[in-house]
Amino acid sequence: MQGKSLFSHTFSTHEAQQLHRMLDIKSNPYQNYHLFLEEIQTLISTDQIPIFFTDICRHIKDLDLNESPAIILRNCPIDDSLPVFDHKEPVQSKYGLKKTFIAEAFLNLYSELVGSYPVGYKTINNGDLFHDIYPKADLLNSQSQKSTVTLGFHNDLPNNKVRPDWVNILCLRNSNLNRVSTTMIRNKDIIDVLDQETLDILKEPIFFTPHEVVSVDGGRNEEGIEIKPIYQETDPVPLCYFETRT
Ligand SMILES: [Fe+2]
């Protein structure tokens, strides 16, 4: 992706501390999301958000999603204590071990200010609105958020009626011993390099993608797998594809 398409900002130490202090939310988003959200919304309605952050979010809100689908914010506020979760049941373990929610609050405040909102699915981590990308023993080799293998290029949730516009990933641990990178490409850059014959084939309703692995793990059955095109020219999200699974 060309550099000019990427909006980025690095929070100064002072800015990160300001956000961190403000985001010390008391409600637990995994137990009572409505109370948690109310606390975030109160921060906004009582003008407690520092101007530098509202300015950044206003700028991001005005970006064209298809032109500028990637944004990088560095030195974001995260929790001081990051407990290590259980290898077999990381999600259940998180419910018991995580006592502060700075990271979740930062993600939610950001989404409120850029005009989006978190969505949850009842078969994905019990409907949680925030998800840890965390290994789970029986899914280590799967194409999912709980694996330790390289994931193919994909758009998320191919068969869901409500699909996310944005995926906001907040880095909590960053070890040089286990370097992980997230690669991305704009839809328009893929389409631009494909010839007409290929695009015509991709427009045919002959493709399917199995449900998200983590969703099947959470009890979703085979129903609702759609046979559809990979490329739908007029759709705001024109591609629906998961490398190795579609
Ligand atoms: Fe994904």
Side-chain angles (χ1 to χ4, degrees):
M1 198 157 75
Q2 292 160 349
K4 65 179 180 184
S5 316
L6 200 67
F7 173 82
S8 75
H9 175 81
T10 302
F11 295 116
S12 68
T13 308
H14 179 66
E15 287 175 341
Q17 282 167 349
Q18 255 183 294
L19 291 171
H20 190 291
R21 266 197 304 276
M22 185 188 68
L23 292 170
D24 191 12
I25 300 293
K26 297 290 167 259
S27 305
N28 182 327
Y30 304 103
Q31 283 172 5
N32 194 330
Y33 178 68
H34 293 286
L35 279 184
F36 176 85
L37 179 62
E38 230 172 75
E39 283 194 62
I40 304 275
Q41 288 173 334
T42 303
L43 290 174
I44 299 170
S45 63
T46 55
D47 286 329
Q48 293 185 59
I49 315 299
I51 302 280
F52 71 83
F53 193 54
T54 51
D55 282 352
I56 288 168
C57 292
R58 192 172 309 121
H59 180 84
I60 292 170
K61 193 177 181 178
D62 289 340
L63 294 172
D64 176 340
L65 185 61
N66 284 308
E67 285 294 324
S68 313
I71 286 145
I72 296 187
L73 301 176
R74 295 187 180 84
N75 199 27
C76 298
I78 58 168
D79 302 86
D80 297 328
S81 158
L82 295 170
V84 174
F85 303 147
D86 181 72
H87 193 49
K88 284 197 184 121
E89 292 296 343
V91 178
Q92 287 302 327
S93 158
K94 171 171 73 174
Y95 298 152
L97 294 173
K98 201 155 191 294
K99 304 291 183 199
T100 62
F101 308 102
I102 305 280
E104 291 87 344
F106 177 68
L107 286 167
N108 210 138
L109 174 66
Y110 172 82
S111 76
E112 282 286 309
L113 294 176
V114 300
S116 74
Y117 44 85
V119 288
Y121 302 90
K122 66 182 176 188
T123 52
I124 298 184
N125 299 332
N126 316 306
D128 284 351
L129 282 300
F130 307 98
H131 306 267
D132 284 81
I133 309 294
Y134 211 96
K136 181 172 189 267
D138 59 0
L139 293 178
L140 290 186
N141 286 309
S142 66
Q143 290 286 305
S144 80
Q145 54 163 239
K146 302 195 189 313
S147 80
T148 54
V149 296
T150 298
L151 301 187
F153 269 97
H154 63 276
N155 314 100
D156 283 303
L157 301 156
N159 302 305
N160 287 39
K161 294 207 168 54
V162 176
R163 300 178 60 209
D165 296 323
W166 292 98
V167 176
N168 297 328
I169 304 172
L170 180 59
C171 177
L172 300 179
R173 293 187 178 87
N174 186 15
S175 165
N176 278 333
L177 298 174
N178 181 26
R179 185 160 275 206
V180 174
S181 55
T182 299
T183 43
M184 61 194 82
I185 183 165
R186 297 190 300 186
N187 290 331
K188 62 180 289 184
D189 292 330
I190 298 173
I191 294 159
D192 280 355
V193 297
L194 297 176
D195 58 43
Q196 194 54 49
E197 190 189 350
T198 308
L199 289 174
D200 287 343
I201 293 169
L202 296 180
K203 281 184 202 168
E204 289 182 37
I206 54 172
F207 302 95
F208 74 94
T209 307
H211 291 322
E212 212 83 0
V213 171
V214 72
S215 169
V216 174
D217 189 56
R220 189 169 185 185
N221 61 25
E222 295 281 299
E223 263 168 60
I225 294 178
E226 287 182 64
I227 309 288
K228 58 185 188 180
I230 285 177
Y231 176 41
Q232 286 176 289
E233 207 168 358
T234 54
D235 198 297
V237 184
L239 292 171
C240 185
Y241 176 70
F242 199 131
E243 189 181 14
T244 73
R245 302 193 77 227
T246 299

